[in-house]
């Protein structure tokens, strides 16, 4: 069995939900506290044992390449001023072996993955979407690789979402269940309200076999007039077994405004240097809005603060 050593990170989207901020800045470079969202994704891949990463970019995404390159003048300045901890943090981003390819037309996620076919070759590979940050004790992708090594088949990262939100995701129709692992009977991309086969949503993590590229070669446009990866995986499931894994950890949707705001708040509260000031600012805002900060803060302390953020992100 070949091990999963390569990963694709699609980053060619236009980021229209964050305009005008993304007019000149890739949405993947928008920071959660002091780190671009795409860096969280790259770090998860590296911590999961991925050795080669290809980022599929588009026009106006050069800042991503610059971020993961050496910045000699900046690094020299930090070293000269004795800011060695900050220097180490800056240099971390340039030690990863990253490749780049452009998606020349905005044809959807399936097409973006297909663009990396020559880089992947005949190996199993991972796909990590930049809109989904997962905070977990064991990296989400590492959990999935462990499952892949047990079943040697495609694995989709899923978590249950509220029934009213199934229309936002690719949804799995499970056939059978073994703990957190499901055999997949079928998949539906963004099913209409009331027509979802389950509430298990595919949340930005995949391990796929190279056979998916042959399917994507002939994949027709689907939801939104784009080539959908979910549709191609549904065809793959007709030829070989596909599994879904309900991964452990908190998933954050940073691809839309509310999710981005809640993620930033959650990460700020989890940061020892920012926690106190952030909670104080939240309390002052609640008072200003006529809410009850004592009840809110008591509830916040009584449970994992990440639950508060994930209420809106699935």
């Amino acid at each position: 069995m070949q091990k999963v050593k390569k990963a694709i990170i699609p980053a060619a989207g236009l980021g229209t939900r964050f305009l005008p901020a993304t007019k000149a800045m890739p949405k993947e470079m928008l920071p959660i506290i002091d780190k671009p969202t795409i860096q969280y994704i790259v770090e998860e891949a590296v911590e999961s044992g991925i050795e080669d990463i290809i980022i599929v970019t588009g026009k106006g995404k050069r800042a991503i390449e610059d971020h993961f390159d050496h910045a000699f003048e900046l690094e020299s300045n930090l070293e000269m001023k004795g800011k060695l901890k900050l220097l180490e943090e800056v240099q971390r981003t340039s030690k990863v072996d990253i490749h780049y390819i452009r998606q020349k037309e905005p044809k959807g996620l399936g097409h973006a993955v297909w663009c990396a076919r020559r880089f992947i070759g005949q190996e199993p590979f991972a796909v990590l979407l930049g809109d989904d940050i997962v905070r977990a004790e064991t990296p989400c992708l590492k959990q999935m690789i462990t499952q892949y090594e047990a079943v040697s088949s495609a694995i989709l990262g899923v978590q249950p979402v509220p029934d009213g939100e199934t229309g936002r995701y690719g949804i799995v129709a499970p056939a059978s269940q073994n703990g957190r692992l499901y055999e997949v009977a079928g998949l539906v991309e963004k099913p209409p309200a009331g027509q979802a086969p389950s509430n298990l949503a595919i949340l930005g993590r995949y391990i796929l076999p190279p056979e998916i590229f042959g399917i994507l070669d002939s994949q027709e446009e689907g939801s939104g007039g784009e080539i959908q990866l979910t549709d191609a995986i549904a065809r793959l499931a007709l030829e070989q077994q596909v599994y879904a894994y309900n991964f452990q950890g908190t998933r954050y949707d940073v691809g839309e405004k509310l999710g981005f705001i809640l993620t930033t708040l959650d990460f700020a509260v989890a940061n020892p240097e920012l926690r106190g000031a952030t909670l104080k600012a939240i309390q002052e805002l609640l008072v200003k809005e006529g809410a009850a900060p004592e009840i809110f803060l008591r509830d916040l302390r009584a449970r994992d603060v990440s639950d508060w953020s994930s209420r809106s992100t699935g």
Side-chain angles (χ1 to χ4, degrees), residues 275-305:
R275 178 179 174 83
T278 301
L279 290 174
K280 181 180 178 182
I282 293 172
Q283 183 178 21
E284 291 173 352
L285 181 61
L286 289 170
V287 170
K288 180 180 177 182
E289 296 297 321
E294 294 81 7
I295 296 175
F296 172 82
L297 291 174
R298 184 183 64 200
D299 184 47
L300 190 63
R301 294 189 187 100
R303 57 191 167 89
D304 185 346
V305 68

PDB file of all heavy atoms in Angstrom, residues 275-305:
ATOM      1  N   ARG A 275      -6.636  36.551  26.061  1.00  0.00           N
ATOM      2  CA  ARG A 275      -7.885  36.074  26.659  1.00  0.00           C
ATOM      3  C   ARG A 275      -8.562  37.116  27.545  1.00  0.00           C
ATOM      4  O   ARG A 275      -9.740  37.441  27.349  1.00  0.00           O
ATOM      5  CB  ARG A 275      -7.607  34.802  27.461  1.00  0.00           C
ATOM      6  CG  ARG A 275      -8.843  34.264  28.171  1.00  0.00           C
ATOM      7  CD  ARG A 275      -8.530  32.989  28.933  1.00  0.00           C
ATOM      8  NE  ARG A 275      -9.681  32.568  29.714  1.00  0.00           N
ATOM      9  CZ  ARG A 275     -10.701  31.856  29.240  1.00  0.00           C
ATOM     10  NH1 ARG A 275     -10.702  31.498  27.969  1.00  0.00           N
ATOM     11  NH2 ARG A 275     -11.714  31.525  30.015  1.00  0.00           N
ATOM     12  N   GLY A 276      -7.832  37.648  28.516  1.00  0.00           N
ATOM     13  CA  GLY A 276      -8.437  38.576  29.459  1.00  0.00           C
ATOM     14  C   GLY A 276      -9.009  39.807  28.789  1.00  0.00           C
ATOM     15  O   GLY A 276     -10.158  40.191  29.041  1.00  0.00           O
ATOM     16  N   ALA A 277      -8.226  40.434  27.920  1.00  0.00           N
ATOM     17  CA  ALA A 277      -8.681  41.653  27.245  1.00  0.00           C
ATOM     18  C   ALA A 277      -9.853  41.358  26.319  1.00  0.00           C
ATOM     19  O   ALA A 277     -10.776  42.177  26.186  1.00  0.00           O
ATOM     20  CB  ALA A 277      -7.522  42.267  26.464  1.00  0.00           C
ATOM     21  N   THR A 278      -9.837  40.182  25.676  1.00  0.00           N
ATOM     22  CA  THR A 278     -10.931  39.830  24.763  1.00  0.00           C
ATOM     23  C   THR A 278     -12.227  39.626  25.525  1.00  0.00           C
ATOM     24  O   THR A 278     -13.287  40.138  25.131  1.00  0.00           O
ATOM     25  CB  THR A 278     -10.577  38.554  23.977  1.00  0.00           C
ATOM     26  OG1 THR A 278      -9.371  38.764  23.230  1.00  0.00           O
ATOM     27  CG2 THR A 278     -11.695  38.195  23.011  1.00  0.00           C
ATOM     28  N   LEU A 279     -12.168  38.890  26.633  1.00  0.00           N
ATOM     29  CA  LEU A 279     -13.381  38.667  27.429  1.00  0.00           C
ATOM     30  C   LEU A 279     -13.919  39.979  27.994  1.00  0.00           C
ATOM     31  O   LEU A 279     -15.141  40.190  28.052  1.00  0.00           O
ATOM     32  CB  LEU A 279     -13.087  37.680  28.556  1.00  0.00           C
ATOM     33  CG  LEU A 279     -12.845  36.226  28.133  1.00  0.00           C
ATOM     34  CD1 LEU A 279     -12.432  35.386  29.330  1.00  0.00           C
ATOM     35  CD2 LEU A 279     -14.081  35.639  27.474  1.00  0.00           C
ATOM     36  N   LYS A 280     -13.019  40.862  28.393  1.00  0.00           N
ATOM     37  CA  LYS A 280     -13.445  42.171  28.903  1.00  0.00           C
ATOM     38  C   LYS A 280     -14.146  42.970  27.817  1.00  0.00           C
ATOM     39  O   LYS A 280     -15.186  43.596  28.058  1.00  0.00           O
ATOM     40  CB  LYS A 280     -12.235  42.944  29.422  1.00  0.00           C
ATOM     41  CG  LYS A 280     -12.598  44.315  30.000  1.00  0.00           C
ATOM     42  CD  LYS A 280     -11.349  45.045  30.498  1.00  0.00           C
ATOM     43  CE  LYS A 280     -11.722  46.435  31.034  1.00  0.00           C
ATOM     44  NZ  LYS A 280     -10.513  47.178  31.481  1.00  0.00           N
ATOM     45  N   ALA A 281     -13.583  42.929  26.599  1.00  0.00           N
ATOM     46  CA  ALA A 281     -14.190  43.668  25.490  1.00  0.00           C
ATOM     47  C   ALA A 281     -15.561  43.097  25.135  1.00  0.00           C
ATOM     48  O   ALA A 281     -16.507  43.844  24.848  1.00  0.00           O
ATOM     49  CB  ALA A 281     -13.268  43.616  24.269  1.00  0.00           C
ATOM     50  N   ILE A 282     -15.697  41.758  25.197  1.00  0.00           N
ATOM     51  CA  ILE A 282     -16.991  41.132  24.936  1.00  0.00           C
ATOM     52  C   ILE A 282     -18.006  41.564  25.993  1.00  0.00           C
ATOM     53  O   ILE A 282     -19.160  41.888  25.688  1.00  0.00           O
ATOM     54  CB  ILE A 282     -16.850  39.596  24.909  1.00  0.00           C
ATOM     55  CG1 ILE A 282     -16.021  39.150  23.702  1.00  0.00           C
ATOM     56  CG2 ILE A 282     -18.226  38.923  24.871  1.00  0.00           C
ATOM     57  CD1 ILE A 282     -15.679  37.669  23.707  1.00  0.00           C
ATOM     58  N   GLN A 283     -17.567  41.575  27.248  1.00  0.00           N
ATOM     59  CA  GLN A 283     -18.450  41.985  28.341  1.00  0.00           C
ATOM     60  C   GLN A 283     -18.918  43.425  28.152  1.00  0.00           C
ATOM     61  O   GLN A 283     -20.112  43.726  28.307  1.00  0.00           O
ATOM     62  CB  GLN A 283     -17.723  41.831  29.675  1.00  0.00           C
ATOM     63  CG  GLN A 283     -18.596  42.174  30.880  1.00  0.00           C
ATOM     64  CD  GLN A 283     -17.854  41.952  32.188  1.00  0.00           C
ATOM     65  OE1 GLN A 283     -16.628  41.914  32.211  1.00  0.00           O
ATOM     66  NE2 GLN A 283     -18.590  41.800  33.267  1.00  0.00           N
ATOM     67  N   GLU A 284     -18.002  44.319  27.803  1.00  0.00           N
ATOM     68  CA  GLU A 284     -18.358  45.715  27.598  1.00  0.00           C
ATOM     69  C   GLU A 284     -19.326  45.868  26.430  1.00  0.00           C
ATOM     70  O   GLU A 284     -20.254  46.687  26.481  1.00  0.00           O
ATOM     71  CB  GLU A 284     -17.094  46.530  27.352  1.00  0.00           C
ATOM     72  CG  GLU A 284     -16.206  46.661  28.587  1.00  0.00           C
ATOM     73  CD  GLU A 284     -14.871  47.328  28.296  1.00  0.00           C
ATOM     74  OE1 GLU A 284     -14.577  47.543  27.096  1.00  0.00           O
ATOM     75  OE2 GLU A 284     -14.125  47.625  29.253  1.00  0.00           O
ATOM     76  N   LEU A 285     -19.119  45.080  25.389  1.00  0.00           N
ATOM     77  CA  LEU A 285     -20.025  45.139  24.233  1.00  0.00           C
ATOM     78  C   LEU A 285     -21.418  44.656  24.609  1.00  0.00           C
ATOM     79  O   LEU A 285     -22.432  45.255  24.202  1.00  0.00           O
ATOM     80  CB  LEU A 285     -19.455  44.291  23.092  1.00  0.00           C
ATOM     81  CG  LEU A 285     -20.266  44.249  21.796  1.00  0.00           C
ATOM     82  CD1 LEU A 285     -20.391  45.646  21.200  1.00  0.00           C
ATOM     83  CD2 LEU A 285     -19.621  43.310  20.787  1.00  0.00           C
ATOM     84  N   LEU A 286     -21.490  43.590  25.408  1.00  0.00           N
ATOM     85  CA  LEU A 286     -22.784  43.075  25.836  1.00  0.00           C
ATOM     86  C   LEU A 286     -23.529  44.097  26.692  1.00  0.00           C
ATOM     87  O   LEU A 286     -24.745  44.269  26.560  1.00  0.00           O
ATOM     88  CB  LEU A 286     -22.598  41.767  26.599  1.00  0.00           C
ATOM     89  CG  LEU A 286     -22.176  40.555  25.753  1.00  0.00           C
ATOM     90  CD1 LEU A 286     -21.785  39.393  26.652  1.00  0.00           C
ATOM     91  CD2 LEU A 286     -23.293  40.133  24.815  1.00  0.00           C
ATOM     92  N   VAL A 287     -22.807  44.764  27.576  1.00  0.00           N
ATOM     93  CA  VAL A 287     -23.422  45.804  28.401  1.00  0.00           C
ATOM     94  C   VAL A 287     -23.965  46.925  27.512  1.00  0.00           C
ATOM     95  O   VAL A 287     -25.086  47.407  27.698  1.00  0.00           O
ATOM     96  CB  VAL A 287     -22.406  46.356  29.420  1.00  0.00           C
ATOM     97  CG1 VAL A 287     -22.963  47.598  30.109  1.00  0.00           C
ATOM     98  CG2 VAL A 287     -22.058  45.295  30.448  1.00  0.00           C
ATOM     99  N   LYS A 288     -23.164  47.314  26.550  1.00  0.00           N
ATOM    100  CA  LYS A 288     -23.568  48.384  25.634  1.00  0.00           C
ATOM    101  C   LYS A 288     -24.826  48.002  24.870  1.00  0.00           C
ATOM    102  O   LYS A 288     -25.695  48.839  24.600  1.00  0.00           O
ATOM    103  CB  LYS A 288     -22.422  48.672  24.667  1.00  0.00           C
ATOM    104  CG  LYS A 288     -22.718  49.771  23.665  1.00  0.00           C
ATOM    105  CD  LYS A 288     -21.530  49.994  22.741  1.00  0.00           C
ATOM    106  CE  LYS A 288     -21.849  51.052  21.685  1.00  0.00           C
ATOM    107  NZ  LYS A 288     -20.694  51.246  20.747  1.00  0.00           N
ATOM    108  N   GLU A 289     -24.946  46.701  24.519  1.00  0.00           N
ATOM    109  CA  GLU A 289     -26.098  46.230  23.749  1.00  0.00           C
ATOM    110  C   GLU A 289     -27.282  45.829  24.633  1.00  0.00           C
ATOM    111  O   GLU A 289     -28.299  45.354  24.123  1.00  0.00           O
ATOM    112  CB  GLU A 289     -25.675  45.040  22.873  1.00  0.00           C
ATOM    113  CG  GLU A 289     -24.647  45.380  21.802  1.00  0.00           C
ATOM    114  CD  GLU A 289     -25.173  46.383  20.786  1.00  0.00           C
ATOM    115  OE1 GLU A 289     -26.369  46.265  20.413  1.00  0.00           O
ATOM    116  OE2 GLU A 289     -24.420  47.283  20.381  1.00  0.00           O
ATOM    117  N   GLY A 290     -27.111  45.989  25.941  1.00  0.00           N
ATOM    118  CA  GLY A 290     -28.212  45.677  26.845  1.00  0.00           C
ATOM    119  C   GLY A 290     -28.372  44.199  27.132  1.00  0.00           C
ATOM    120  O   GLY A 290     -29.436  43.756  27.572  1.00  0.00           O
ATOM    121  N   ALA A 291     -27.326  43.393  26.879  1.00  0.00           N
ATOM    122  CA  ALA A 291     -27.383  41.960  27.152  1.00  0.00           C
ATOM    123  C   ALA A 291     -26.959  41.708  28.592  1.00  0.00           C
ATOM    124  O   ALA A 291     -26.674  42.627  29.343  1.00  0.00           O
ATOM    125  CB  ALA A 291     -26.497  41.202  26.165  1.00  0.00           C
ATOM    126  N   ALA A 292     -26.888  40.433  28.968  1.00  0.00           N
ATOM    127  CA  ALA A 292     -26.531  40.069  30.340  1.00  0.00           C
ATOM    128  C   ALA A 292     -25.154  39.425  30.341  1.00  0.00           C
ATOM    129  O   ALA A 292     -25.028  38.213  30.175  1.00  0.00           O
ATOM    130  CB  ALA A 292     -27.570  39.105  30.913  1.00  0.00           C
ATOM    131  N   PRO A 293     -24.101  40.204  30.522  1.00  0.00           N
ATOM    132  CA  PRO A 293     -22.746  39.650  30.432  1.00  0.00           C
ATOM    133  C   PRO A 293     -22.421  38.611  31.490  1.00  0.00           C
ATOM    134  O   PRO A 293     -21.661  37.689  31.241  1.00  0.00           O
ATOM    135  CB  PRO A 293     -21.857  40.890  30.591  1.00  0.00           C
ATOM    136  CG  PRO A 293     -22.706  41.897  31.295  1.00  0.00           C
ATOM    137  CD  PRO A 293     -24.102  41.646  30.805  1.00  0.00           C
ATOM    138  N   GLU A 294     -23.002  38.732  32.700  1.00  0.00           N
ATOM    139  CA  GLU A 294     -22.684  37.770  33.749  1.00  0.00           C
ATOM    140  C   GLU A 294     -23.124  36.369  33.346  1.00  0.00           C
ATOM    141  O   GLU A 294     -22.390  35.391  33.514  1.00  0.00           O
ATOM    142  CB  GLU A 294     -23.357  38.161  35.065  1.00  0.00           C
ATOM    143  CG  GLU A 294     -22.842  39.462  35.671  1.00  0.00           C
ATOM    144  CD  GLU A 294     -23.475  40.697  35.031  1.00  0.00           C
ATOM    145  OE1 GLU A 294     -24.408  40.516  34.210  1.00  0.00           O
ATOM    146  OE2 GLU A 294     -23.044  41.818  35.339  1.00  0.00           O
ATOM    147  N   ILE A 295     -24.331  36.272  32.804  1.00  0.00           N
ATOM    148  CA  ILE A 295     -24.845  34.961  32.382  1.00  0.00           C
ATOM    149  C   ILE A 295     -24.008  34.427  31.231  1.00  0.00           C
ATOM    150  O   ILE A 295     -23.632  33.256  31.186  1.00  0.00           O
ATOM    151  CB  ILE A 295     -26.328  35.074  31.964  1.00  0.00           C
ATOM    152  CG1 ILE A 295     -27.183  35.476  33.173  1.00  0.00           C
ATOM    153  CG2 ILE A 295     -26.822  33.758  31.370  1.00  0.00           C
ATOM    154  CD1 ILE A 295     -28.628  35.739  32.834  1.00  0.00           C
ATOM    155  N   PHE A 296     -23.689  35.298  30.285  1.00  0.00           N
ATOM    156  CA  PHE A 296     -22.896  34.888  29.119  1.00  0.00           C
ATOM    157  C   PHE A 296     -21.518  34.383  29.542  1.00  0.00           C
ATOM    158  O   PHE A 296     -21.080  33.301  29.135  1.00  0.00           O
ATOM    159  CB  PHE A 296     -22.749  36.059  28.151  1.00  0.00           C
ATOM    160  CG  PHE A 296     -21.788  35.798  27.020  1.00  0.00           C
ATOM    161  CD1 PHE A 296     -22.193  35.095  25.904  1.00  0.00           C
ATOM    162  CD2 PHE A 296     -20.479  36.248  27.086  1.00  0.00           C
ATOM    163  CE1 PHE A 296     -21.312  34.844  24.868  1.00  0.00           C
ATOM    164  CE2 PHE A 296     -19.593  36.004  26.053  1.00  0.00           C
ATOM    165  CZ  PHE A 296     -20.011  35.303  24.947  1.00  0.00           C
ATOM    166  N   LEU A 297     -20.829  35.133  30.386  1.00  0.00           N
ATOM    167  CA  LEU A 297     -19.472  34.765  30.773  1.00  0.00           C
ATOM    168  C   LEU A 297     -19.464  33.526  31.672  1.00  0.00           C
ATOM    169  O   LEU A 297     -18.555  32.700  31.578  1.00  0.00           O
ATOM    170  CB  LEU A 297     -18.788  35.937  31.479  1.00  0.00           C
ATOM    171  CG  LEU A 297     -18.468  37.130  30.566  1.00  0.00           C
ATOM    172  CD1 LEU A 297     -17.923  38.286  31.393  1.00  0.00           C
ATOM    173  CD2 LEU A 297     -17.476  36.746  29.482  1.00  0.00           C
ATOM    174  N   ARG A 298     -20.488  33.370  32.512  1.00  0.00           N
ATOM    175  CA  ARG A 298     -20.574  32.169  33.338  1.00  0.00           C
ATOM    176  C   ARG A 298     -20.744  30.942  32.455  1.00  0.00           C
ATOM    177  O   ARG A 298     -20.104  29.911  32.664  1.00  0.00           O
ATOM    178  CB  ARG A 298     -21.758  32.288  34.297  1.00  0.00           C
ATOM    179  CG  ARG A 298     -21.872  31.110  35.280  1.00  0.00           C
ATOM    180  CD  ARG A 298     -23.102  31.272  36.149  1.00  0.00           C
ATOM    181  NE  ARG A 298     -24.313  31.224  35.328  1.00  0.00           N
ATOM    182  CZ  ARG A 298     -25.497  31.706  35.729  1.00  0.00           C
ATOM    183  NH1 ARG A 298     -25.617  32.286  36.916  1.00  0.00           N
ATOM    184  NH2 ARG A 298     -26.546  31.606  34.942  1.00  0.00           N
ATOM    185  N   ASP A 299     -21.572  31.064  31.427  1.00  0.00           N
ATOM    186  CA  ASP A 299     -21.786  29.967  30.494  1.00  0.00           C
ATOM    187  C   ASP A 299     -20.520  29.686  29.702  1.00  0.00           C
ATOM    188  O   ASP A 299     -20.167  28.543  29.433  1.00  0.00           O
ATOM    189  CB  ASP A 299     -22.938  30.320  29.540  1.00  0.00           C
ATOM    190  CG  ASP A 299     -23.270  29.180  28.595  1.00  0.00           C
ATOM    191  OD1 ASP A 299     -23.382  28.040  29.076  1.00  0.00           O
ATOM    192  OD2 ASP A 299     -23.401  29.427  27.387  1.00  0.00           O
ATOM    193  N   LEU A 300     -19.816  30.745  29.327  1.00  0.00           N
ATOM    194  CA  LEU A 300     -18.594  30.607  28.533  1.00  0.00           C
ATOM    195  C   LEU A 300     -17.521  29.865  29.308  1.00  0.00           C
ATOM    196  O   LEU A 300     -16.824  29.007  28.770  1.00  0.00           O
ATOM    197  CB  LEU A 300     -18.086  31.997  28.144  1.00  0.00           C
ATOM    198  CG  LEU A 300     -16.956  32.071  27.113  1.00  0.00           C
ATOM    199  CD1 LEU A 300     -17.408  31.502  25.789  1.00  0.00           C
ATOM    200  CD2 LEU A 300     -16.496  33.518  26.940  1.00  0.00           C
ATOM    201  N   ARG A 301     -17.401  30.166  30.610  1.00  0.00           N
ATOM    202  CA  ARG A 301     -16.374  29.515  31.429  1.00  0.00           C
ATOM    203  C   ARG A 301     -16.737  28.063  31.742  1.00  0.00           C
ATOM    204  O   ARG A 301     -15.877  27.230  32.011  1.00  0.00           O
ATOM    205  CB  ARG A 301     -16.187  30.277  32.742  1.00  0.00           C
ATOM    206  CG  ARG A 301     -15.622  31.684  32.568  1.00  0.00           C
ATOM    207  CD  ARG A 301     -15.268  32.297  33.919  1.00  0.00           C
ATOM    208  NE  ARG A 301     -14.874  33.690  33.779  1.00  0.00           N
ATOM    209  CZ  ARG A 301     -15.656  34.727  34.031  1.00  0.00           C
ATOM    210  NH1 ARG A 301     -16.908  34.506  34.443  1.00  0.00           N
ATOM    211  NH2 ARG A 301     -15.234  35.961  33.880  1.00  0.00           N
ATOM    212  N   ALA A 302     -18.040  27.743  31.732  1.00  0.00           N
ATOM    213  CA  ALA A 302     -18.502  26.422  32.134  1.00  0.00           C
ATOM    214  C   ALA A 302     -18.292  25.359  31.064  1.00  0.00           C
ATOM    215  O   ALA A 302     -18.395  24.176  31.334  1.00  0.00           O
ATOM    216  CB  ALA A 302     -19.989  26.482  32.505  1.00  0.00           C
ATOM    217  N   ARG A 303     -17.993  25.760  29.852  1.00  0.00           N
ATOM    218  CA  ARG A 303     -17.822  24.798  28.774  1.00  0.00           C
ATOM    219  C   ARG A 303     -16.690  25.228  27.868  1.00  0.00           C
ATOM    220  O   ARG A 303     -16.170  26.322  27.988  1.00  0.00           O
ATOM    221  CB  ARG A 303     -19.115  24.661  27.964  1.00  0.00           C
ATOM    222  CG  ARG A 303     -19.612  25.969  27.374  1.00  0.00           C
ATOM    223  CD  ARG A 303     -21.025  25.779  26.822  1.00  0.00           C
ATOM    224  NE  ARG A 303     -21.658  27.062  26.533  1.00  0.00           N
ATOM    225  CZ  ARG A 303     -21.569  27.703  25.389  1.00  0.00           C
ATOM    226  NH1 ARG A 303     -20.846  27.200  24.419  1.00  0.00           N
ATOM    227  NH2 ARG A 303     -22.178  28.842  25.196  1.00  0.00           N
ATOM    228  N   ASP A 304     -16.320  24.335  26.979  1.00  0.00           N
ATOM    229  CA  ASP A 304     -15.238  24.629  26.034  1.00  0.00           C
ATOM    230  C   ASP A 304     -15.679  25.777  25.151  1.00  0.00           C
ATOM    231  O   ASP A 304     -16.691  25.699  24.466  1.00  0.00           O
ATOM    232  CB  ASP A 304     -14.953  23.388  25.181  1.00  0.00           C
ATOM    233  CG  ASP A 304     -13.770  23.573  24.258  1.00  0.00           C
ATOM    234  OD1 ASP A 304     -13.333  24.721  24.084  1.00  0.00           O
ATOM    235  OD2 ASP A 304     -13.292  22.561  23.714  1.00  0.00           O
ATOM    236  N   VAL A 305     -14.896  26.858  25.143  1.00  0.00           N
ATOM    237  CA  VAL A 305     -15.282  28.044  24.377  1.00  0.00           C
ATOM    238  C   VAL A 305     -15.401  27.745  22.900  1.00  0.00           C
ATOM    239  O   VAL A 305     -16.134  28.409  22.170  1.00  0.00           O
ATOM    240  CB  VAL A 305     -14.273  29.188  24.619  1.00  0.00           C
ATOM    241  CG1 VAL A 305     -12.921  28.855  24.029  1.00  0.00           C
ATOM    242  CG2 VAL A 305     -14.776  30.503  24.040  1.00  0.00           C
TER     243      VAL A 305
END
